Amino acid sequence: MATDTLVPAPENPFAIARRQFDIAADLLDLSPNLRCILRSPQRELTVNFPVKLDDGNTRMFTGYRVQHNLSRGPVKGGIRYHPSVTLDEIRALAMLMTWKCAVTNLPYGGAKGGVIVDPRQLSAEEIERLTRRYATEISILIGPEKDIPAPDVNTNPQIMAWIMDTISMHQGYTVPAIVTGKPLNIGGSEGRNEATARGIVYVLGEATRHLGIDLSRARVAIQGCGNVGANTARMLHDLGATVVAISDSQGGVYNPRGLRPIDLLQHKRHTGTVRGYPRGESITNEELIELDCDILVPAALSQVITAANATRVRARIVAEAANGPTTPEADEILYDQGTFVLPDILANAGGVTVSYFEWVQGLQEFFWTEREVNAQLERVISHAFQSVLRVAQEREVPMRTAAYVLAVKRVADAVTTRGIYP
Ligand code: GLU
């Protein structure tokens, strides 16, 4: 049986993020002063903290919170728990959040947090203690009017609840707007849990209309079966699309006649993996990238489409549900071969968009229906897609470059308008 893991490639993610920024800065003819401001994260916090383990021992953990740019408002971005977290990865992801919030025109700058940990090796109680201590350590930076965390890789609504409770205990009153992606019963938003996947579906609706592809007949391969991959599979299947492959960190399954996501997800719930699902054949994560399909959705980790495999990508559309799945070298290859790439800062912006709605609802203590949330999400994503497409057509550049041009311009304008203090 084929086995593999989603091993992150060694290229420095912050160097990649800066290269992607530089491409847009060149096209915008950005001044050297603005360039050096925007190339650097504004604030970086490293925390080393102890956590009591269930066996009575104490272990030290390292975490980060990076705020890239605060010019357009409070900063926003998720927290990830993963053994491969590095400061440079968090810097890159914070920068990406700045551009993501600017592409969608949310009144936020970008931030990101992470803890170097394999949560699968900890009990639920240990994860709770780790979360509460990490939240305490970064409490000098976060707050509803300054920096609002959310879920990311291996974090979830329960973890957001522990962060919210920890900060609220310190304050002496409940502070719902300190995080987004909370459970519904403590001030979460309808539709937030599925928002990233729903955003992918909306942006795919726009892209397929633009390219003259029938989404309801499209064949889709999805790499990753976490919140985003699983919900995207379910929603696209409900629209009539054929989900031909899906994978998780242990490998994937393929069936050219289509998988049934509900059934497959039940198999994953029982066995812990999509592997071994009987109504499909085993494939590796590498093979999934190269499958014959119309739409490829990388929804796992970064740098999975590289110069080494980009020529073998056969999908017409790549929708980047993950952050940073394509290297700049691969980007060029994909553009030259006519692959339409929906870049991460546009494609997966549904999550942060509904996070924004959750934050607004929390501050106003006035909550919307799921229908209202989804309608507003569709409006934001469709508008962002059309704005990026317009720049791509005007400048004859790939969608990623166009998204960066739009975003970097908005942030640079904010920096210029505010001026440099003092
Ligand atoms: N972690 C998600 C992202 O990368 C969501 C961030 C948020 O909602 O603040 O976009």
Side-chain angles (χ1 to χ4, degrees), residues 78-82 113-115 117-120 122-136 138 142 149-167 178-183 186 193:
I79 290 170
R80 61 172 56 184
Y81 289 173
H82 200 275
V115 177
V117 58
D118 183 353
R120 287 173 307 185
L122 299 185
S123 68
E125 290 74 20
E126 288 168 333
I127 292 174
E128 176 175 353
R129 288 195 291 274
L130 176 141
T131 300
R132 289 186 182 278
R133 181 61 188 254
Y134 170 69
T136 302
I138 65 166
I142 63 174
D152 199 78
V153 174
N154 290 335
T155 55
N156 56 35
Q158 178 60 68
I159 289 175
M160 296 307 114
W162 288 327
I163 296 176
M164 187 272 239
D165 184 68
T166 300
I167 302 298
I178 181 86
V179 283
T180 59
K182 296 180 291 296
I186 55 163
N193 208 36

Side-chain angles (χ1 to χ4, degrees), residues 33 46 64 73 108 221-222 227 251 282 288 294 321 344 375 382:
N33 289 344
T46 299
Y64 308 101
Y108 288 138
I222 301 174
N227 170 309
S282 248
L288 184 142
D294 303 303
D344 44 13
S382 300

Side-chain angles (χ1 to χ4, degrees), residues 291-359:
L291 281 181
D292 180 22
C293 61
D294 303 303
I295 299 169
L296 173 64
V297 183
L301 295 177
S302 61
Q303 297 184 45
V304 293
I305 306 177
T306 66
N309 63 0
T311 53
R312 295 195 295 277
V313 169
R314 289 191 270 172
R316 177 79 178 89
I317 301 175
V318 174
E320 295 184 341
N323 287 316
T326 311
T327 66
E329 290 76 18
D331 255 336
E332 275 184 36
I333 296 168
L334 293 177
Y335 188 59
D336 289 345
Q337 72 194 26
T339 312
F340 192 79
V341 176
L342 290 162
D344 44 13
I345 59 171
L346 171 65
N348 71 30
V352 72
T353 301
V354 177
S355 273
Y356 167 60
F357 299 157
E358 179 176 332
W359 180 72

Side-chain angles (χ1 to χ4, degrees), residues 41-186:
Q42 196 164 332
R43 295 174 184 160
E44 305 180 341
L45 178 65
T46 299
V47 293
N48 300 301
F49 57 93
V51 176
K52 276 197 187 130
L53 303 180
D54 293 342
D55 66 7
N57 287 319
T58 297
R59 200 169 125 197
M60 289 301 288
F61 289 88
T62 298
Y64 308 101
R65 185 72 183 170
V66 173
Q67 301 181 341
H68 172 253
N69 188 281
L70 290 80
S71 303
R72 299 180 73 253
V75 287
K76 189 85 191 77
I79 290 170
R80 61 172 56 184
Y81 289 173
H82 200 275
S84 72
V85 161
T86 63
L87 179 55
D88 270 345
E89 179 195 43
I90 301 302
R91 285 173 170 146
L93 293 166
M95 193 189 230
L96 233 57
M97 286 308 302
T98 299
W99 314 138
K100 197 183 296 184
C101 294
V103 167
T104 38
N105 223 351
L106 304 179
Y108 288 138
K112 202 81 174 194
V115 177
I116 306 169
V117 58
D118 183 353
R120 287 173 307 185
Q121 290 175 1
L122 299 185
S123 68
E125 290 74 20
E126 288 168 333
I127 292 174
E128 176 175 353
R129 288 195 291 274
L130 176 141
T131 300
R132 289 186 182 278
R133 181 61 188 254
Y134 170 69
T136 302
E137 295 293 339
I138 65 166
S139 64
I140 55 174
L141 278 188
I142 63 174
E145 63 297 303
K146 45 188 187 174
D147 181 348
I148 308 108
D152 199 78
V153 174
N154 290 335
T155 55
N156 56 35
Q158 178 60 68
I159 289 175
M160 296 307 114
W162 288 327
I163 296 176
M164 187 272 239
D165 184 68
T166 300
I167 302 298
S168 298
M169 288 298 118
H170 294 172
Q171 295 289 333
Y173 54 87
T174 299
V175 193
I178 181 86
V179 283
T180 59
K182 296 180 291 296
L184 270 180
N185 62 4
I186 55 163

